[in-house]
Amino acid sequence: MKPPSGFPFLYQLGHVPGEGFANGVIDLGGGLEVCQISTFHKIWSIHEGGLDNKGASFYEPSPIPEGFYILGCYSQSNNKKLFGWVLAGKDYEEDASNGALKNPIDYNLVWSSESFKIKKDGNGYFWLPVPPDGYRAAGLIITNSPEKPGLDRVRCVRSDLTDKCQTDALIWESSKHSNFQKIYSLRPSNRGTQAMGVNVGTFSCQNLSSLACLKNVKSNLSSMPNQSQIQALIQAYSPLIYMHPDEVYLPSSVKWFFTNGALLYHKGEESSPVKIEPTGSNLPQGCLKDDTYWLDLPIDEEAEETVKKGDLESTQIYLHHVGDWEHLTLRLSNFNGELESIFFSQHSGGTWVTAPQLEFQTGSNKAVTYASLNGHAMYAKPGLVLQGHVGSGIEISNTTTKSKMVLDTGTRYLLVAAESLQGSSSAAIVEPPWLNYKRKWGPKIDYAIAYEIKMVEKLLFFGILKTALRKLVIVLPNEVLGEEGPTGPKVKKNWDGDEL
């Protein structure tokens, strides 16, 4: 079974010279090569429970390239099109006694559906491979019969080639059987540009902690795109961002922001702010956790209004291979260069959306995205999203729709950082000075509602009422009470780590 068509992908990277990016196989070192399998044979399905009460299905990757072996099965909810992958491994270690992969010595039955009175395709059986000493299992095996799988059905991985993993997205749970453990996808516990964990694409049951992800012990970045390939990816996948037709506060380039009057303030010298050079070359570099410096709008009222409104025509997209400010993060496969998902930042949070759920510009790989009115939270679909405690009456309204104001992120962009290129044969990326200004890009703003809430709390005599008020305040979006001037992009967790 192959994931259905209906969304475009890039398959034209072969003509762009490079090392290991999009070549199909990655050498993780230690005798282990891996490839990505996205075609499947369905083993078992359950048709109730889980997301939208649609149930879930369980698959074995198939076919497997010669010399490779499966490391575990794949599962996903039935509320969306089949779209996913798992890794298969190949052992090129010459020492068979200490190979990268070995057969399990047995299986333990984790759970079977025999006692479940629920809509299902027969019964499913969940088996945990029992690895030999010095090896770990990276995934479960699913069967539709009670007989144990053959010992050659799956491979376990040498322990030094594995890393810790954790549960990620919920795949399935049953409201009728509370004693059954939930089913989750897995991801490496340690993620980011310096982390070596590799996602296998398998799944687990809640509280089953014995499964592992893989590790890039080779610690090289040959599977990352080079500068030419980055340019090709940008041209292929750069999203379109639609602004709301009533949007007042448009984006701009950093250079436009500086040259049109943004000012650098220094604590104790507030009366004499400094004009900022177009590249930010006079900004203090590095990061100190203090309020010594911050940026603010021009003092002149007319200039202030100009800068507030921004300038769409000057807007430049700043690219980093992990993340940015209010941003979109595109996750691509290192195996084939295909777009897998996009992260839409939404104030202090955000959402991952897989490729089948994205809207694409007709005839292209470019995802269509939407920026909310005045707040600029990013969404995959137009409409209204309320953020905050539903029913409290205090919520942020995020409204999105199409308009003539659209930003093609592939038209004007600047690659400001790509750590994987440093020290390689590719030209090093020169970081602009403003990128290393890590203090606040604006003053702290306290809104009147924050003061009013404090006054109400003082007037409440009963502790139970004060507790209720505090619980309400906790679930409010930060933007309701006030906003800290945002710190530079390098300070954000997603710069060298992961999103949520």
Side-chain angles (χ1 to χ4, degrees):
M1 182 176 293
K2 187 176 181 179
S5 60
F7 44 91
F9 279 129
L10 173 72
Y11 290 102
Q12 296 82 25
L13 280 176
H15 70 281
V16 181
E19 295 183 55
F21 179 74
N23 282 347
V25 175
I26 295 177
D27 183 358
L28 297 180
L32 179 61
E33 289 183 343
V34 291
C35 67
Q36 191 178 68
I37 308 297
S38 56
T39 53
F40 302 96
H41 168 65
K42 185 188 290 187
I43 303 297
W44 181 66
S45 288
I46 194 165
H47 301 289
E48 291 183 41
L51 304 177
D52 299 329
N53 198 34
K54 297 290 187 180
S57 295
F58 301 84
Y59 305 87
E60 184 171 279
S62 177
I64 305 297
E66 184 177 355
F68 286 82
Y69 299 91
I70 73 169
L71 305 177
C73 288
Y74 173 76
S75 176
Q76 74 167 51
S77 170
N78 290 335
N79 74 333
K80 58 185 178 181
K81 294 179 180 179
L82 176 60
F83 180 75
W85 50 266
V86 291
L87 299 187
K90 180 180 181 179
D91 187 352
Y92 65 83
E93 180 64 57
E94 294 183 358
D95 182 4
S97 64
N98 191 41
L101 302 174
K102 279 190 178 181
N103 293 357
I105 58 175
D106 199 0
Y107 293 94
N108 289 328
L109 181 64
V110 175
W111 176 77
S112 81
S113 66
E114 289 179 347
S115 62
F116 263 41
K117 306 302 180 183
I118 198 169
K119 294 179 182 178
K120 56 186 177 179
D121 295 339
N123 286 312
Y125 301 84
F126 292 57
W127 303 92
L128 174 66
V130 178
D133 289 343
Y135 289 76
R136 298 187 67 186
L140 298 174
I141 292 296
I142 306 301
T143 64
N144 50 23
S145 67
E147 290 78 24
K148 287 185 179 182
L151 295 180
D152 61 349
R153 179 98 170 258
V154 68
R155 293 295 187 272
C156 299
V157 186
R158 202 172 67 228
S159 296
D160 65 300
L161 303 177
T162 67
D163 207 348
K164 293 181 180 179
C165 66
Q166 61 184 206
T167 56
D168 187 14
L170 177 68
I171 295 175
W172 184 83
E173 64 178 334
S174 173
S175 58
K176 296 181 180 179
H177 301 80
S178 58
N179 62 327
F180 178 66
Q181 296 174 320
K182 300 176 182 179
I183 296 174
Y184 293 91
S185 61
L186 292 171
R187 65 179 180 181
S189 299
N190 301 312
R191 300 177 303 281
T193 58
Q194 304 304 315
M196 293 295 110
V198 177
N199 195 344
V200 184
T202 53
F203 67 94
S204 180
C205 301
Q206 187 180 20
N207 300 325
L208 183 61
S209 59
S210 56
L211 294 177
C213 69
L214 302 182
K215 182 189 292 185
N216 181 9
V217 297
K218 199 171 183 179
S219 299
N220 70 33
L221 298 173
S222 63
S223 63
M224 295 294 289
N226 61 31
Q227 197 163 346
S228 297
Q229 291 171 327
I230 290 174
Q231 302 294 333
L233 292 168
I234 293 167
Q235 294 305 317
Y237 292 130
S238 52
L240 301 175
I241 303 175
Y242 280 94
M243 307 294 171
H244 194 280
D246 299 327
E247 182 62 63
V248 176
Y249 307 108
L250 295 169
S252 72
S253 68
V254 171
K255 181 179 179 181
W256 184 94
F257 179 60
F258 291 162
T259 57
N260 280 271
L263 298 171
L264 173 66
Y265 281 79
H266 187 197
K267 189 173 183 179
E269 301 175 7
E270 290 86 349
S271 61
S272 54
V274 176
K275 184 178 179 180
I276 306 168
E277 296 295 326
T279 63
S281 59
N282 61 329
L283 292 173
Q285 302 291 283
C287 179
L288 292 175
K289 294 182 178 180
D290 57 27
D291 295 320
T292 304
Y293 292 94
W294 66 93
L295 305 187
D296 204 348
L297 300 174
I299 297 174
D300 178 79
E301 291 185 5
E302 184 176 346
E304 179 185 8
E305 285 303 310
T306 297
V307 174
K308 275 185 179 179
K309 293 178 180 179
D311 182 69
L312 189 61
E313 294 301 315
S314 79
T315 301
Q316 191 169 31
I317 302 302
Y318 301 105
L319 302 177
H320 176 243
H321 73 270
V322 176
D324 209 358
W325 279 314
E326 197 72 69
H327 63 278
L328 298 167
T329 297
L330 279 64
R331 178 167 285 168
L332 311 178
S333 168
N334 292 72
F335 291 90
N336 53 31
E338 293 183 353
L339 176 66
E340 295 183 348
S341 57
I342 295 180
F343 181 82
F344 293 78
S345 70
Q346 296 154 0
H347 305 302
S348 55
T351 305
W352 281 106
V353 180
T354 58
Q357 279 70 55
L358 294 170
E359 175 186 350
F360 288 89
Q361 183 187 29
T362 303
S364 80
N365 294 288
K366 297 174 180 290
V368 174
T369 66
Y370 299 85
S372 66
L373 176 62
N374 297 333
H376 309 140
M378 308 296 290
Y379 292 93
K381 302 293 182 184
L384 172 64
V385 177
L386 296 177
Q387 184 180 3
H389 189 67
V390 178
S392 68
I394 307 177
E395 300 161 323
I396 288 182
S397 175
N398 297 288
T399 305
T400 61
T401 189
K402 281 187 177 179
S403 75
K404 294 181 180 179
M405 295 185 292
V406 59
L407 177 61
D408 184 342
T409 60
T411 301
R412 293 183 301 275
Y413 62 86
L414 177 66
L415 184 59
V416 295
E419 288 84 348
S420 61
L421 300 182
Q422 305 304 316
S424 72
S425 57
S426 300
I429 304 302
V430 178
E431 297 184 353
W434 60 261
L435 188 61
N436 289 299
Y437 171 75
K438 301 178 183 179
R439 292 175 169 86
K440 295 177 180 177
W441 283 68
K444 181 178 180 180
I445 302 174
D446 291 311
Y447 299 137
I449 189 174
Y451 173 77
E452 292 173 5
I453 288 175
K454 291 179 181 178
M455 293 304 296
V456 170
E457 185 177 2
K458 288 182 179 179
L459 294 174
L460 293 176
F461 293 101
F462 299 103
I464 189 171
L465 295 178
K466 287 189 176 184
T467 301
L469 178 65
R470 288 168 183 163
K471 287 183 178 180
L472 172 62
V473 172
I474 287 173
V475 298
L476 291 177
N478 294 332
E479 293 85 351
V480 170
L481 303 178
E483 298 178 84
E484 287 276 359
T487 49
K490 278 195 172 183
V491 181
K492 307 304 182 185
K493 178 182 177 183
N494 57 27
W495 185 263
D496 58 6
D498 196 8
E499 299 290 356
L500 297 180

